[in-house]
Amino acid sequence: MNSAPSGAPLVHVVAVAENGVIGRGLDLPFRLPSDLKRFKALTLGKPLLMGRQTFVSIGRPLPGRISVVVSADPDFGVPEGVRLARSLDAALGLAQDVAGEMGAEEVMVIGGRRVFAETLPLTHRIHLTKVHLSPEGDVLLPPYDPAMWQEVARDGPHQGPGDEAPFTYVTLERRQSA
Ligand SMILES: NC(=O)c1ccc[n+]([C@@H]2O[C@H](COP(=O)([O-])OP(=O)(O)OC[C@H]3O[C@@H](n4cnc5c(N)ncnc54)[C@H](OP(=O)(O)O)[C@@H]3O)[C@@H](O)[C@H]2O)c1
C-alpha cells in the first residue's frame, strides 16, 4: 500500500449502483436529490478533490467548499476561486494546503472513476451511497478489496421525494492492519 500523505485524511464520497455504475457519459446515472443533500452536508467547509471530467460535469464551483481540480491539459482553465493542479501529487498537496486554509479535518475526494482509482490506496474512509438500481452507464466504480475495508456504519434503505430509487448509506474505514 502507498503510504498516506500527512495532514487531513482523504475521504471518498461516491454513489454507486448495484451493477457498479457511477456515471453515464459525463452525467450521474440516477437522480437522487436526497443524496445530493447528504453530499452537501458531508462536504461543506472542506476541500473537494476531483478530476476534470467531474468538474465539467458539475459545471460550477460548489458553494461553501473549495474545489481542487486535476487536469494535465494545458488548455483547460478554471473559474476564479477554483484551484487547478497539473498532476495528482500537486493536487494532493494543494488539497492539504486548502484544508489548512479552511481549518478542515478531511479532504473529500468526489470523483470521478480515474481519481477514485488513483487515490484509493491513500484513502482512510469511503462514504458509499449504494443505489438499489442497475442503470445503464459506462463509468464503473474501481473495485476495492473488501479485506482491506471494514463497514463501520449502515443506514437505510431510504427513498425521499423525487429520488429515483431507494438507497443505503454505508461507511467503510480502512482496517488498521491493512
Ligand atoms: N456516482 C458518483 O458518485 C460520481 C461522482 C463523481 C463523478 N461521477 C461520474 O464519473 C464520471 C467521470 O469520471 P472519469 O473517470 O471519466 O473522470 P474524472 O476522474 O472526473 O476526470 C478525469 C480527468 O482528470 C484528470 N486527471 C485525473 N488524474 C490525473 C492525473 N494523475 N494527472 C493529471 N490529470 C489527471 C485528467 O484530465 P485531462 O484529460 O484534462 O488531463 C482526466 O482526463 C462521470 O460520469 C461522472 O458523472 C460519479
Side-chain angles (χ1 to χ4, degrees), residues 13-17 21-30 35 39 50-58 69-74 76 85-89 109-118 129 131 138-141:
V13 188
V14 59
V16 58
V21 166
I22 63 167
R24 187 187 302 138
L26 274 185
D27 297 327
L28 293 174
F30 26 65
D35 189 49
F39 173 85
M50 72 193 87
R52 176 177 58 92
Q53 307 282 31
T54 294
F55 181 74
V56 169
S57 166
I58 295 171
V69 181
V70 58
S71 166
D73 180 349
F76 177 70
R86 295 301 185 195
S87 70
L88 186 69
D89 278 352
V109 179
I110 67 156
R113 177 193 158 80
R114 182 170 163 190
V115 170
F116 284 137
E118 290 175 326
T129 301
V131 186
D138 54 345
V139 185
L140 299 178
L141 186 65

Short mmCIF file of all heavy atoms in Angstrom, two decimals, residues 13-17 21-30 35 39 50-58 69-74 76 85-89 109-118 129 131 138-141, ligand 1:
data_model
loop_
_atom_site.label_atom_id
_atom_site.label_comp_id
_atom_site.label_asym_id
_atom_site.label_seq_id
_atom_site.Cartn_x
_atom_site.Cartn_y
_atom_site.Cartn_z
N VAL A 13 -16.32 10.09 -1.38
CA VAL A 13 -17.79 10.17 -1.32
C VAL A 13 -18.29 9.75 -2.69
O VAL A 13 -17.99 10.41 -3.69
CB VAL A 13 -18.29 11.60 -1.03
CG1 VAL A 13 -19.80 11.59 -0.79
CG2 VAL A 13 -17.58 12.20 0.17
N VAL A 14 -19.05 8.65 -2.75
CA VAL A 14 -19.46 8.14 -4.06
C VAL A 14 -20.80 7.44 -3.96
O VAL A 14 -21.09 6.77 -2.98
CB VAL A 14 -18.37 7.20 -4.64
CG1 VAL A 14 -18.09 6.01 -3.74
CG2 VAL A 14 -18.72 6.74 -6.05
N ALA A 15 -21.60 7.62 -4.99
CA ALA A 15 -22.88 6.91 -5.11
C ALA A 15 -22.71 5.86 -6.20
O ALA A 15 -22.33 6.18 -7.33
CB ALA A 15 -24.00 7.88 -5.48
N VAL A 16 -22.99 4.61 -5.85
CA VAL A 16 -22.75 3.52 -6.79
C VAL A 16 -23.98 2.64 -6.90
O VAL A 16 -24.61 2.30 -5.88
CB VAL A 16 -21.50 2.69 -6.37
CG1 VAL A 16 -21.62 2.12 -4.97
CG2 VAL A 16 -21.19 1.59 -7.38
N ALA A 17 -24.31 2.26 -8.12
CA ALA A 17 -25.47 1.39 -8.35
C ALA A 17 -25.08 -0.07 -8.11
O ALA A 17 -23.90 -0.41 -7.97
CB ALA A 17 -25.97 1.59 -9.78
N VAL A 21 -22.19 0.82 -11.59
CA VAL A 21 -22.18 2.04 -12.42
C VAL A 21 -22.20 3.29 -11.53
O VAL A 21 -22.97 3.38 -10.57
CB VAL A 21 -23.38 2.02 -13.38
CG1 VAL A 21 -23.60 3.39 -14.02
CG2 VAL A 21 -23.18 0.97 -14.46
N ILE A 22 -21.31 4.25 -11.85
CA ILE A 22 -21.33 5.55 -11.17
C ILE A 22 -21.58 6.71 -12.15
O ILE A 22 -21.80 7.84 -11.72
CB ILE A 22 -20.02 5.83 -10.38
CG1 ILE A 22 -18.79 5.91 -11.30
CG2 ILE A 22 -19.84 4.80 -9.28
CD1 ILE A 22 -17.56 6.49 -10.60
N GLY A 23 -21.46 6.44 -13.46
CA GLY A 23 -21.63 7.52 -14.41
C GLY A 23 -22.11 7.04 -15.77
O GLY A 23 -21.95 5.86 -16.13
N ARG A 24 -22.72 7.99 -16.47
CA ARG A 24 -23.14 7.74 -17.87
C ARG A 24 -22.67 8.94 -18.66
O ARG A 24 -23.19 10.04 -18.46
CB ARG A 24 -24.65 7.58 -17.93
CG ARG A 24 -25.15 7.15 -19.31
CD ARG A 24 -26.67 7.17 -19.38
NE ARG A 24 -27.30 6.32 -18.40
CZ ARG A 24 -28.37 6.64 -17.67
NH1 ARG A 24 -28.94 7.82 -17.82
NH2 ARG A 24 -28.88 5.80 -16.79
N GLY A 25 -21.65 8.72 -19.52
CA GLY A 25 -21.03 9.88 -20.14
C GLY A 25 -20.47 10.76 -19.04
O GLY A 25 -19.79 10.28 -18.13
N LEU A 26 -20.81 12.04 -19.10
CA LEU A 26 -20.33 12.96 -18.06
C LEU A 26 -21.29 13.02 -16.87
O LEU A 26 -20.97 13.62 -15.85
CB LEU A 26 -20.20 14.38 -18.63
CG LEU A 26 -18.90 14.77 -19.32
CD1 LEU A 26 -18.95 16.25 -19.71
CD2 LEU A 26 -17.68 14.49 -18.47
N ASP A 27 -22.46 12.39 -17.01
CA ASP A 27 -23.53 12.61 -16.02
C ASP A 27 -23.63 11.49 -15.00
O ASP A 27 -23.14 10.38 -15.20
CB ASP A 27 -24.88 12.71 -16.74
CG ASP A 27 -24.92 13.91 -17.67
OD1 ASP A 27 -24.29 14.92 -17.33
OD2 ASP A 27 -25.56 13.80 -18.73
N LEU A 28 -24.35 11.78 -13.91
CA LEU A 28 -24.73 10.74 -12.96
C LEU A 28 -25.82 9.89 -13.60
O LEU A 28 -26.66 10.42 -14.33
CB LEU A 28 -25.26 11.37 -11.66
CG LEU A 28 -24.24 12.14 -10.82
CD1 LEU A 28 -24.92 12.82 -9.65
CD2 LEU A 28 -23.12 11.21 -10.34
N PRO A 29 -25.86 8.60 -13.31
CA PRO A 29 -26.84 7.72 -13.96
C PRO A 29 -28.13 7.57 -13.17
O PRO A 29 -28.95 6.71 -13.48
CB PRO A 29 -26.10 6.38 -14.02
CG PRO A 29 -25.22 6.42 -12.80
CD PRO A 29 -24.86 7.85 -12.55
N PHE A 30 -28.30 8.36 -12.10
CA PHE A 30 -29.53 8.30 -11.31
C PHE A 30 -29.82 9.69 -10.75
O PHE A 30 -28.92 10.52 -10.64
CB PHE A 30 -29.42 7.29 -10.16
CG PHE A 30 -28.01 7.05 -9.68
CD1 PHE A 30 -27.28 8.06 -9.08
CD2 PHE A 30 -27.40 5.81 -9.86
CE1 PHE A 30 -25.99 7.85 -8.66
CE2 PHE A 30 -26.09 5.59 -9.44
CZ PHE A 30 -25.38 6.60 -8.84
N ASP A 35 -29.74 12.32 -1.76
CA ASP A 35 -28.31 12.01 -1.65
C ASP A 35 -27.48 13.26 -1.93
O ASP A 35 -26.41 13.43 -1.35
CB ASP A 35 -27.95 10.87 -2.61
CG ASP A 35 -26.53 10.40 -2.37
OD1 ASP A 35 -26.19 10.14 -1.19
OD2 ASP A 35 -25.75 10.31 -3.33
N PHE A 39 -24.64 14.74 0.38
CA PHE A 39 -23.32 15.08 -0.17
C PHE A 39 -22.91 16.48 0.29
O PHE A 39 -21.78 16.70 0.73
CB PHE A 39 -23.38 14.99 -1.71
CG PHE A 39 -22.12 15.46 -2.38
CD1 PHE A 39 -21.05 14.61 -2.56
CD2 PHE A 39 -22.01 16.78 -2.84
CE1 PHE A 39 -19.89 15.05 -3.18
CE2 PHE A 39 -20.86 17.23 -3.44
CZ PHE A 39 -19.80 16.35 -3.62
N MET A 50 -11.13 16.62 -7.25
CA MET A 50 -11.85 15.96 -8.35
C MET A 50 -11.06 16.04 -9.65
O MET A 50 -10.19 16.90 -9.82
CB MET A 50 -13.23 16.60 -8.55
CG MET A 50 -13.19 17.98 -9.14
SD MET A 50 -14.78 18.84 -9.02
CE MET A 50 -14.62 19.57 -7.39
N GLY A 51 -11.41 15.14 -10.58
CA GLY A 51 -10.84 15.17 -11.91
C GLY A 51 -11.57 16.18 -12.80
O GLY A 51 -12.67 16.64 -12.47
N ARG A 52 -10.93 16.48 -13.91
CA ARG A 52 -11.51 17.47 -14.83
C ARG A 52 -12.92 17.09 -15.26
O ARG A 52 -13.82 17.94 -15.31
CB ARG A 52 -10.62 17.63 -16.07
CG ARG A 52 -11.22 18.57 -17.11
CD ARG A 52 -10.31 18.76 -18.29
NE ARG A 52 -9.97 17.53 -18.96
CZ ARG A 52 -10.64 17.03 -19.99
NH1 ARG A 52 -11.70 17.67 -20.46
NH2 ARG A 52 -10.26 15.91 -20.56
N GLN A 53 -13.13 15.81 -15.59
CA GLN A 53 -14.45 15.42 -16.11
C GLN A 53 -15.55 15.68 -15.08
O GLN A 53 -16.64 16.13 -15.42
CB GLN A 53 -14.47 13.92 -16.47
CG GLN A 53 -13.37 13.48 -17.38
CD GLN A 53 -13.64 13.83 -18.82
OE1 GLN A 53 -14.28 14.84 -19.11
NE2 GLN A 53 -13.13 13.03 -19.73
N THR A 54 -15.24 15.39 -13.84
CA THR A 54 -16.25 15.60 -12.79
C THR A 54 -16.50 17.08 -12.60
O THR A 54 -17.65 17.51 -12.45
CB THR A 54 -15.79 14.91 -11.48
OG1 THR A 54 -15.78 13.50 -11.73
CG2 THR A 54 -16.70 15.22 -10.31
N PHE A 55 -15.44 17.89 -12.65
CA PHE A 55 -15.65 19.34 -12.53
C PHE A 55 -16.52 19.85 -13.69
O PHE A 55 -17.46 20.63 -13.48
CB PHE A 55 -14.31 20.09 -12.50
CG PHE A 55 -14.52 21.57 -12.35
CD1 PHE A 55 -14.91 22.10 -11.13
CD2 PHE A 55 -14.36 22.42 -13.43
CE1 PHE A 55 -15.15 23.46 -10.99
CE2 PHE A 55 -14.60 23.77 -13.29
CZ PHE A 55 -14.99 24.31 -12.08
N VAL A 56 -16.22 19.39 -14.89
CA VAL A 56 -17.01 19.82 -16.06
C VAL A 56 -18.46 19.37 -15.91
O VAL A 56 -19.41 20.10 -16.21
CB VAL A 56 -16.37 19.27 -17.36
CG1 VAL A 56 -17.30 19.47 -18.55
CG2 VAL A 56 -15.02 19.94 -17.61
N SER A 57 -18.63 18.16 -15.39
CA SER A 57 -19.98 17.62 -15.20
C SER A 57 -20.77 18.46 -14.19
O SER A 57 -21.94 18.77 -14.41
CB SER A 57 -19.86 16.17 -14.73
OG SER A 57 -21.06 15.71 -14.24
N ILE A 58 -20.13 18.85 -13.09
CA ILE A 58 -20.82 19.68 -12.08
C ILE A 58 -21.06 21.08 -12.66
O ILE A 58 -22.11 21.68 -12.44
CB ILE A 58 -19.99 19.75 -10.78
CG1 ILE A 58 -19.90 18.36 -10.14
CG2 ILE A 58 -20.60 20.75 -9.80
CD1 ILE A 58 -18.94 18.27 -8.96
N VAL A 69 -9.06 20.89 -8.72
CA VAL A 69 -9.31 20.11 -9.94
C VAL A 69 -7.98 19.70 -10.55
O VAL A 69 -7.06 20.52 -10.65
CB VAL A 69 -10.13 20.95 -10.95
CG1 VAL A 69 -10.41 20.15 -12.21
CG2 VAL A 69 -11.43 21.43 -10.33
N VAL A 70 -7.90 18.44 -10.93
CA VAL A 70 -6.67 17.96 -11.57
C VAL A 70 -6.91 17.76 -13.07
O VAL A 70 -7.91 17.18 -13.48
CB VAL A 70 -6.11 16.69 -10.87
CG1 VAL A 70 -7.11 15.55 -10.86
CG2 VAL A 70 -4.79 16.26 -11.49
N SER A 71 -5.99 18.32 -13.85
CA SER A 71 -6.03 18.18 -15.31
C SER A 71 -4.63 18.42 -15.85
O SER A 71 -3.97 19.39 -15.46
CB SER A 71 -6.98 19.21 -15.93
OG SER A 71 -6.78 19.27 -17.33
N ALA A 72 -4.19 17.55 -16.75
CA ALA A 72 -2.88 17.75 -17.37
C ALA A 72 -2.99 18.58 -18.64
O ALA A 72 -1.98 18.88 -19.28
CB ALA A 72 -2.25 16.39 -17.68
N ASP A 73 -4.22 18.96 -19.01
CA ASP A 73 -4.43 19.67 -20.27
C ASP A 73 -4.08 21.15 -20.10
O ASP A 73 -4.76 21.87 -19.36
CB ASP A 73 -5.91 19.51 -20.66
CG ASP A 73 -6.24 20.22 -21.96
OD1 ASP A 73 -5.40 21.00 -22.46
OD2 ASP A 73 -7.35 19.99 -22.47
N PRO A 74 -3.03 21.61 -20.78
CA PRO A 74 -2.61 23.00 -20.58
C PRO A 74 -3.64 24.01 -21.06
O PRO A 74 -3.60 25.18 -20.67
CB PRO A 74 -1.32 23.11 -21.41
CG PRO A 74 -1.33 21.95 -22.35
CD PRO A 74 -2.19 20.88 -21.74
N PHE A 76 -6.84 23.72 -20.43
CA PHE A 76 -8.01 23.72 -19.55
C PHE A 76 -7.83 24.75 -18.44
O PHE A 76 -6.79 24.77 -17.77
CB PHE A 76 -8.20 22.31 -18.94
CG PHE A 76 -9.34 22.24 -17.96
CD1 PHE A 76 -10.65 22.34 -18.39
CD2 PHE A 76 -9.08 22.09 -16.60
CE1 PHE A 76 -11.70 22.29 -17.48
CE2 PHE A 76 -10.13 22.04 -15.69
CZ PHE A 76 -11.43 22.14 -16.13
N ALA A 85 -4.58 21.84 -10.49
CA ALA A 85 -3.30 21.15 -10.37
C ALA A 85 -3.07 20.35 -11.64
O ALA A 85 -4.01 19.85 -12.26
CB ALA A 85 -3.32 20.22 -9.16
N ARG A 86 -1.81 20.24 -12.03
CA ARG A 86 -1.48 19.56 -13.29
C ARG A 86 -1.07 18.11 -13.10
O ARG A 86 -0.79 17.40 -14.05
CB ARG A 86 -0.35 20.31 -13.99
CG ARG A 86 -0.75 21.71 -14.44
CD ARG A 86 -1.92 21.68 -15.38
NE ARG A 86 -2.25 23.00 -15.92
CZ ARG A 86 -3.39 23.27 -16.53
NH1 ARG A 86 -4.31 22.34 -16.69
NH2 ARG A 86 -3.63 24.47 -17.00
N SER A 87 -0.99 17.65 -11.82
CA SER A 87 -0.67 16.24 -11.55
C SER A 87 -1.39 15.85 -10.27
O SER A 87 -1.81 16.72 -9.50
CB SER A 87 0.83 16.05 -11.35
OG SER A 87 1.23 16.65 -10.12
N LEU A 88 -1.52 14.55 -10.06
CA LEU A 88 -2.20 14.11 -8.84
C LEU A 88 -1.41 14.52 -7.60
O LEU A 88 -2.00 14.99 -6.62
CB LEU A 88 -2.39 12.59 -8.86
CG LEU A 88 -3.23 12.10 -7.67
CD1 LEU A 88 -4.67 12.55 -7.79
CD2 LEU A 88 -3.14 10.60 -7.52
N ASP A 89 -0.10 14.39 -7.64
CA ASP A 89 0.70 14.79 -6.47
C ASP A 89 0.49 16.27 -6.14
O ASP A 89 0.34 16.64 -4.98
CB ASP A 89 2.19 14.53 -6.71
CG ASP A 89 2.55 13.08 -6.45
OD1 ASP A 89 1.67 12.34 -5.94
OD2 ASP A 89 3.69 12.68 -6.76
N VAL A 109 -12.67 13.44 -1.58
CA VAL A 109 -12.40 13.04 -2.96
C VAL A 109 -13.75 12.70 -3.58
O VAL A 109 -14.43 11.77 -3.11
CB VAL A 109 -11.46 11.83 -3.02
CG1 VAL A 109 -11.20 11.42 -4.46
CG2 VAL A 109 -10.14 12.14 -2.30
N ILE A 110 -14.14 13.45 -4.63
CA ILE A 110 -15.53 13.31 -5.12
C ILE A 110 -15.60 12.76 -6.54
O ILE A 110 -16.65 12.83 -7.16
CB ILE A 110 -16.31 14.62 -4.96
CG1 ILE A 110 -15.76 15.72 -5.88
CG2 ILE A 110 -16.31 15.09 -3.50
CD1 ILE A 110 -16.80 16.79 -6.20
N GLY A 111 -14.50 12.22 -7.05
CA GLY A 111 -14.57 11.54 -8.34
C GLY A 111 -13.76 12.22 -9.42
O GLY A 111 -13.02 13.17 -9.14
N GLY A 112 -13.86 11.67 -10.58
CA GLY A 112 -14.68 10.50 -10.96
C GLY A 112 -13.89 9.21 -10.85
O GLY A 112 -13.04 9.07 -9.98
N ARG A 113 -14.17 8.32 -11.79
CA ARG A 113 -13.59 7.00 -11.70
C ARG A 113 -12.06 7.07 -11.62
O ARG A 113 -11.46 6.41 -10.78
CB ARG A 113 -13.98 6.17 -12.95
CG ARG A 113 -13.33 4.81 -12.91
CD ARG A 113 -13.39 4.03 -14.20
NE ARG A 113 -12.33 3.03 -14.20
CZ ARG A 113 -12.40 1.87 -13.59
NH1 ARG A 113 -13.47 1.53 -12.92
NH2 ARG A 113 -11.38 1.04 -13.62
N ARG A 114 -11.45 7.85 -12.49
CA ARG A 114 -9.98 7.84 -12.53
C ARG A 114 -9.40 8.36 -11.20
O ARG A 114 -8.45 7.77 -10.67
CB ARG A 114 -9.48 8.70 -13.71
CG ARG A 114 -7.97 8.67 -13.79
CD ARG A 114 -7.46 9.30 -15.07
NE ARG A 114 -6.05 9.61 -14.93
CZ ARG A 114 -5.34 10.33 -15.76
NH1 ARG A 114 -5.91 10.80 -16.86
NH2 ARG A 114 -4.06 10.57 -15.54
N VAL A 115 -9.98 9.41 -10.69
CA VAL A 115 -9.45 9.99 -9.45
C VAL A 115 -9.76 9.08 -8.25
O VAL A 115 -8.92 8.92 -7.36
CB VAL A 115 -9.97 11.43 -9.27
CG1 VAL A 115 -9.65 11.96 -7.89
CG2 VAL A 115 -9.34 12.32 -10.34
N PHE A 116 -10.92 8.43 -8.25
CA PHE A 116 -11.18 7.44 -7.18
C PHE A 116 -10.12 6.35 -7.23
O PHE A 116 -9.58 5.94 -6.21
CB PHE A 116 -12.57 6.80 -7.35
CG PHE A 116 -13.73 7.68 -6.95
CD1 PHE A 116 -14.87 7.74 -7.73
CD2 PHE A 116 -13.71 8.41 -5.76
CE1 PHE A 116 -15.97 8.52 -7.36
CE2 PHE A 116 -14.80 9.19 -5.38
CZ PHE A 116 -15.92 9.25 -6.19
N ALA A 117 -9.82 5.84 -8.44
CA ALA A 117 -8.86 4.74 -8.57
C ALA A 117 -7.46 5.18 -8.10
O ALA A 117 -6.78 4.47 -7.36
CB ALA A 117 -8.81 4.26 -10.02
N GLU A 118 -7.07 6.37 -8.51
CA GLU A 118 -5.70 6.84 -8.19
C GLU A 118 -5.52 7.12 -6.70
O GLU A 118 -4.41 7.01 -6.18
CB GLU A 118 -5.40 8.11 -8.98
CG GLU A 118 -5.23 7.87 -10.46
CD GLU A 118 -5.05 9.16 -11.25
OE1 GLU A 118 -5.66 10.18 -10.88
OE2 GLU A 118 -4.32 9.14 -12.24
N THR A 129 -22.90 5.60 -1.13
CA THR A 129 -24.35 5.52 -1.24
C THR A 129 -24.62 4.37 -2.20
O THR A 129 -24.29 4.46 -3.38
CB THR A 129 -24.95 6.83 -1.79
OG1 THR A 129 -24.60 7.90 -0.92
CG2 THR A 129 -26.47 6.73 -1.89
N VAL A 131 -26.95 2.50 -4.36
CA VAL A 131 -28.22 2.80 -5.01
C VAL A 131 -28.82 1.50 -5.51
O VAL A 131 -28.17 0.75 -6.26
CB VAL A 131 -28.03 3.80 -6.17
CG1 VAL A 131 -29.38 4.22 -6.72
CG2 VAL A 131 -27.23 5.01 -5.71
N ASP A 138 -21.55 3.85 -18.47
CA ASP A 138 -20.25 3.41 -18.99
C ASP A 138 -19.10 3.72 -18.02
O ASP A 138 -17.95 3.49 -18.35
CB ASP A 138 -19.98 4.06 -20.35
CG ASP A 138 -20.09 5.58 -20.28
OD1 ASP A 138 -20.63 6.10 -19.29
OD2 ASP A 138 -19.62 6.24 -21.23
N VAL A 139 -19.42 4.26 -16.85
CA VAL A 139 -18.37 4.57 -15.88
C VAL A 139 -18.62 3.73 -14.63
O VAL A 139 -19.68 3.84 -14.00
CB VAL A 139 -18.35 6.07 -15.51
CG1 VAL A 139 -17.17 6.37 -14.61
CG2 VAL A 139 -18.31 6.94 -16.76
N LEU A 140 -17.66 2.87 -14.30
CA LEU A 140 -17.83 1.95 -13.17
C LEU A 140 -16.90 2.36 -12.02
O LEU A 140 -15.79 2.85 -12.25
CB LEU A 140 -17.47 0.52 -13.59
CG LEU A 140 -18.32 -0.08 -14.71
CD1 LEU A 140 -17.83 -1.49 -15.04
CD2 LEU A 140 -19.79 -0.16 -14.29
N LEU A 141 -17.37 2.10 -10.79
CA LEU A 141 -16.52 2.36 -9.63
C LEU A 141 -15.35 1.38 -9.67
O LEU A 141 -15.55 0.18 -9.85
CB LEU A 141 -17.32 2.16 -8.34
CG LEU A 141 -16.59 2.53 -7.04
CD1 LEU A 141 -16.30 4.02 -6.99
CD2 LEU A 141 -17.41 2.12 -5.83
N1 LIG B 1 -21.65 8.47 -8.78
C1 LIG B 1 -20.78 9.31 -8.25
O1 LIG B 1 -20.71 9.45 -7.01
C2 LIG B 1 -19.87 10.10 -9.14
C3 LIG B 1 -19.02 11.05 -8.59
C4 LIG B 1 -18.18 11.77 -9.46
C5 LIG B 1 -18.21 11.52 -10.82
N2 LIG B 1 -19.05 10.56 -11.29
C6 LIG B 1 -19.07 10.25 -12.72
O2 LIG B 1 -17.78 9.84 -13.10
C7 LIG B 1 -17.58 10.18 -14.49
C8 LIG B 1 -16.27 10.94 -14.62
O3 LIG B 1 -15.20 10.07 -14.25
P1 LIG B 1 -13.88 9.95 -15.13
O4 LIG B 1 -13.02 8.86 -14.59
O5 LIG B 1 -14.28 9.90 -16.56
O6 LIG B 1 -13.21 11.39 -14.95
P2 LIG B 1 -12.55 12.18 -13.71
O7 LIG B 1 -11.81 11.24 -12.81
O8 LIG B 1 -13.59 13.06 -13.12
O9 LIG B 1 -11.55 13.12 -14.51
C9 LIG B 1 -10.54 12.54 -15.28
C10 LIG B 1 -9.62 13.65 -15.75
O10 LIG B 1 -8.94 14.20 -14.62
C11 LIG B 1 -7.61 14.50 -14.98
N3 LIG B 1 -6.72 13.65 -14.21
C12 LIG B 1 -7.03 12.57 -13.45
N4 LIG B 1 -5.91 12.06 -12.88
C13 LIG B 1 -4.90 12.85 -13.30
C14 LIG B 1 -3.51 12.84 -13.04
N5 LIG B 1 -2.92 11.90 -12.26
N6 LIG B 1 -2.74 13.79 -13.63
C15 LIG B 1 -3.30 14.74 -14.41
N7 LIG B 1 -4.62 14.80 -14.69
C16 LIG B 1 -5.40 13.85 -14.14
C17 LIG B 1 -7.48 14.23 -16.46
O11 LIG B 1 -7.85 15.44 -17.07
P3 LIG B 1 -7.20 15.92 -18.51
O12 LIG B 1 -7.74 14.96 -19.51
O13 LIG B 1 -7.71 17.31 -18.64
O14 LIG B 1 -5.70 15.82 -18.32
C18 LIG B 1 -8.53 13.16 -16.68
O15 LIG B 1 -8.98 13.10 -18.02
C19 LIG B 1 -18.82 10.97 -14.92
O16 LIG B 1 -19.73 10.07 -15.50
C20 LIG B 1 -19.38 11.44 -13.60
O17 LIG B 1 -20.79 11.67 -13.65
C21 LIG B 1 -19.87 9.86 -10.49
#
